[in-house]
Amino acid sequence: MKEVLPVFNSAVSIDCVLFGFDGGELKILLIERNEEPFKDWWALPGNLVGVNESLDQSALRILHELTGLSDIYMEQYYTFGEVNRHPQGRVITVAYYAMLRLGGDKALKPLTSYAKRAQWINVKDLPKLGFDHQHIFDKGLEKIKRRIKHLPIAFELLPEKFTLTQVQHVYELILGKKLDKRNFRKKILSFGVLKELDEKQKGVSFRAATLYKFDKRKYAKLFGKAISF
Amino acid sequence: MKEVLPVFNSAVSIDCVLFGFDGGELKILLIERNEEPFKDWWALPGNLVGVNESLDQSALRILHELTGLSDIYMEQYYTFGEVNRHPQGRVITVAYYAMLRLGGDKALKPLTSYAKRAQWINVKDLPKLGFDHQHIFDKGLEKIKRRIKHLPIAFELLPEKFTLTQVQHVYELILGKKLDKRNFRKKILSFGVLKELDEKQKGVSFRAATLYKFDKRKYAKLFGKAISF
DNA sequence: AATATAAGGTGTATTAATTACACTAAGTAA
DNA sequence: TTACTTAGTGTAATTAATACACCTTATATT
């Protein structure tokens, strides 16, 4: 316990909604909690903001501690501050989202005992989440639905080289509806941020698709150009 | 002083960016502070979140206390959490914006001694603001620029009855550029949320324009329809 | 080798939205 | 009556969005 000015009576936390794409499915990263409250429940990776950290820094640290992941670009999207959202006191939480490519390589390893484990879980099959995390997730999904129409973020979910069909799948999963193949390709290519490679998909039965790469330099020029399906 | 868990070591505040339109100018509501830090400086209306208030409730209370205004629809847009943004400790602030119609009627009267006065100030002529409030304002302006293209909020700035030229002025002020009159009218009317009245502007020299009214019922149907100039 | 399978890849016509652009009409004031 | 000022209007050209179906190609199977 320590003495503080009476206004310093609340805590601020960060919660992260990380989207990943793997095996044709949209997933999010959850942790299994190892502490009260909600011990043994699944929850979004999150924790308290440190006194000497900005919110952005804090988000990176917390994610790293709970999952082992680093160098993720996360973006703040909303702050949740209902009075009783945390059972142990007033905790206001700032929510971040990110999209990232899942390679089989990166193992998820919590660095603290605060989480038992971290795992990618299909969004179609979410368990019951602790706190108000289902609500925070729902808002995050809404956010990226709007966001993906302004293009870029879908590529962050894909491996470095990908096929157009994979891109379309990501869009369909996030938007929750089927898109027309020809129109999709026309549109996505018209943004001019994809580089066609001289290379084909490997290890697939049936005809291999051409691989593409995301061109960051060209992407930087886009601003507010919208995509509408 | 009181004893708390060591994690309760930060404070959360609200800051409000209120836009108004008056005399053909875009204005925001500022207070002149009557307390340290930044005593005698202009700042956004803002204060600490109470322990038993949600963020939204808190925003309404704070605005009311500092300006006398009530029944304002405000929307949260970003949370600012740089470590040293407040000179007296760690204070994370949740920013809200709103747009509202200025009638000469509503007097601004702070209900606490925390502010000396509240005043509408032309955004073209902003004084130096305390804290990081210039930054918070800049982000708020960016936000409504994006927002106004999805239509509705501009009408909240106007009186109940208005002319199309007034609407266009609001758009031009917010977007910071001139728009074509014919295209603007075609577009704004195509949304179908304006009702033409059987009434003309009064008290103007030169030809009086037709007055319009905003139709809330029709507006509720719009969803994600974008406006692009 | 032939065949079946499954995904890859492509084009056009229709409709809707956006942009660019300039004059006449109406009311007020002198 | 005239001068002034803002209101109000339409069309053509361009660009973007949508709807829609077939052939191609690589692999796997017989």
Side-chain angles (χ1 to χ4, degrees):
Chain A
M1 297 285 183
K2 74 171 189 179
E3 281 197 314
V4 295
L5 279 169
V7 301
F8 292 96
N9 51 19
S10 56
V12 177
S13 67
I14 300 284
D15 284 302
C16 304
V17 178
L18 266 72
F19 292 93
F21 177 70
D22 186 32
E25 301 286 352
L26 186 64
K27 303 192 170 179
I28 66 162
L29 186 52
L30 296 177
I31 60 162
E32 193 180 345
R33 291 176 58 85
N34 198 27
E35 289 200 5
E36 294 296 347
F38 297 103
K39 181 160 157 51
D40 304 327
W41 288 52
W42 290 98
L44 297 173
N47 209 333
L48 297 167
V49 172
V51 182
N52 291 306
E53 292 173 323
S54 71
L55 297 174
D56 291 353
Q57 287 164 354
S58 182
L60 289 173
R61 173 189 55 82
I62 289 167
L63 184 66
H64 184 246
E65 285 177 3
L66 290 173
T67 67
L69 294 170
S70 50
D71 289 321
I72 307 288
Y73 174 71
M74 287 192 282
E75 190 155 319
Q76 184 193 310
Y77 69 91
Y78 200 75
T79 298
F80 298 86
E82 291 305 311
V83 173
N84 293 312
R85 56 170 300 283
H86 194 295
Q88 293 180 336
R90 184 69 192 276
V91 181
I92 288 164
T93 197
V94 182
Y96 280 74
Y97 75 84
M99 316 198 67
L100 49 95
R101 57 185 53 137
L102 306 187
D105 50 334
K106 289 174 195 160
L108 296 174
K109 265 216 179 118
L111 310 177
T112 76
S113 62
Y114 187 78
K116 284 190 221 171
R117 57 187 170 130
Q119 197 174 316
W120 288 101
I121 294 188
N122 196 321
V123 297
K124 285 181 187 157
D125 197 29
L126 288 186
K128 206 168 170 195
L129 301 180
F131 307 100
D132 53 353
H133 285 187
Q134 180 67 46
H135 181 225
I136 294 174
F137 166 74
D138 291 342
K139 292 284 180 188
L141 184 57
E142 270 177 39
K143 178 79 182 187
I144 66 161
K145 276 190 191 181
R146 266 173 278 130
R147 210 56 186 285
I148 203 177
K149 298 192 178 181
H150 297 260
L151 190 69
I153 56 178
F155 302 111
E156 296 170 25
L157 288 166
L158 292 166
E160 198 194 350
K161 299 172 182 181
F162 48 80
T163 69
L164 294 181
T165 300
Q166 286 176 308
V167 181
Q168 188 175 342
H169 280 160
V170 170
Y171 271 80
E172 290 177 341
L173 278 168
I174 292 175
L175 296 176
K177 63 178 181 187
K178 284 256 171 273
L179 303 172
D180 176 83
K181 183 161 64 166
R182 278 171 293 185
N183 292 338
F184 180 82
R185 286 171 179 231
K186 207 188 302 173
K187 187 70 177 277
I188 211 81
L189 291 172
S190 79
F191 277 90
V193 297
L194 296 189
K195 228 186 319 212
E196 184 174 348
L197 299 176
D198 214 10
E199 200 176 338
K200 301 273 171 182
Q201 224 178 355
K202 275 176 192 159
V204 290
S205 337
F206 316 115
R207 178 178 179 184
T210 301
L211 292 170
Y212 287 79
K213 221 173 127 170
F214 179 52
D215 184 336
K216 283 189 188 174
R217 287 179 317 138
K218 286 186 186 161
Y219 160 58
K221 293 180 196 165
L222 294 179
F223 211 80
K225 212 178 166 184
I227 199 171
S228 55
F229 294 109
Chain B
M1 295 286 181
K2 74 172 187 179
E3 282 197 315
V4 294
L5 279 169
V7 301
F8 292 96
N9 51 20
S10 56
V12 177
S13 67
I14 301 285
D15 284 302
C16 304
V17 179
L18 266 71
F19 292 94
F21 177 70
D22 186 32
E25 300 285 351
L26 186 65
K27 303 193 169 177
I28 65 162
L29 186 53
L30 296 178
I31 60 163
E32 193 179 346
R33 290 176 58 86
N34 198 28
E35 289 200 6
E36 294 295 346
F38 296 103
K39 182 162 158 48
D40 304 326
W41 288 51
W42 290 97
L44 297 172
N47 208 334
L48 296 168
V49 172
V51 182
N52 291 306
E53 292 174 324
S54 71
L55 297 174
D56 291 353
Q57 287 164 354
S58 182
L60 288 174
R61 173 189 54 83
I62 288 166
L63 184 66
H64 183 247
E65 285 176 5
L66 291 173
T67 67
L69 294 170
S70 51
D71 288 320
I72 307 288
Y73 175 70
M74 288 193 280
E75 190 155 321
Q76 183 193 310
Y77 69 90
Y78 200 74
T79 297
F80 297 86
E82 291 305 312
V83 174
N84 294 311
R85 56 171 300 284
H86 194 294
Q88 293 180 336
R90 184 68 192 275
V91 181
I92 288 163
T93 198
V94 182
Y96 280 75
Y97 74 85
M99 315 198 69
L100 49 95
R101 56 186 53 136
L102 305 187
D105 50 336
K106 290 173 195 160
L108 297 173
K109 264 216 180 119
L111 310 178
T112 77
S113 63
Y114 186 78
K116 284 192 221 170
R117 55 184 172 135
Q119 196 174 317
W120 288 101
I121 294 187
N122 196 322
V123 297
K124 285 182 187 156
D125 197 30
L126 288 186
K128 206 169 172 196
L129 301 180
F131 307 99
D132 54 353
H133 285 186
Q134 180 67 46
H135 181 224
I136 293 175
F137 165 75
D138 291 343
K139 291 285 179 185
L141 184 57
E142 269 177 40
K143 178 78 182 188
I144 66 161
K145 275 190 193 182
R146 267 175 277 129
R147 210 56 187 283
I148 203 177
K149 298 192 179 181
H150 297 260
L151 188 68
I153 55 177
F155 303 110
E156 295 170 25
L157 289 166
L158 291 166
E160 200 193 350
K161 299 173 183 182
F162 48 80
T163 69
L164 294 181
T165 300
Q166 286 176 308
V167 181
Q168 186 175 343
H169 280 159
V170 170
Y171 272 80
E172 289 177 342
L173 278 168
I174 293 176
L175 296 175
K177 64 177 179 186
K178 284 254 171 274
L179 303 173
D180 177 83
K181 182 161 66 164
R182 278 172 294 186
N183 292 339
F184 180 81
R185 287 171 177 231
K186 206 188 305 173
K187 188 71 178 276
I188 211 81
L189 291 172
S190 79
F191 278 91
V193 298
L194 296 188
K195 229 188 316 213
E196 184 173 348
L197 300 175
D198 214 10
E199 202 176 336
K200 301 273 172 184
Q201 226 177 354
K202 276 177 191 158
V204 289
S205 340
F206 315 117
R207 180 178 178 184
T210 301
L211 291 171
Y212 286 78
K213 221 173 128 170
F214 179 51
D215 183 337
K216 283 189 188 174
R217 288 179 315 138
K218 287 186 187 161
Y219 159 58
K221 293 181 196 163
L222 294 180
F223 211 80
K225 212 177 167 184
I227 200 171
S228 57
F229 295 109

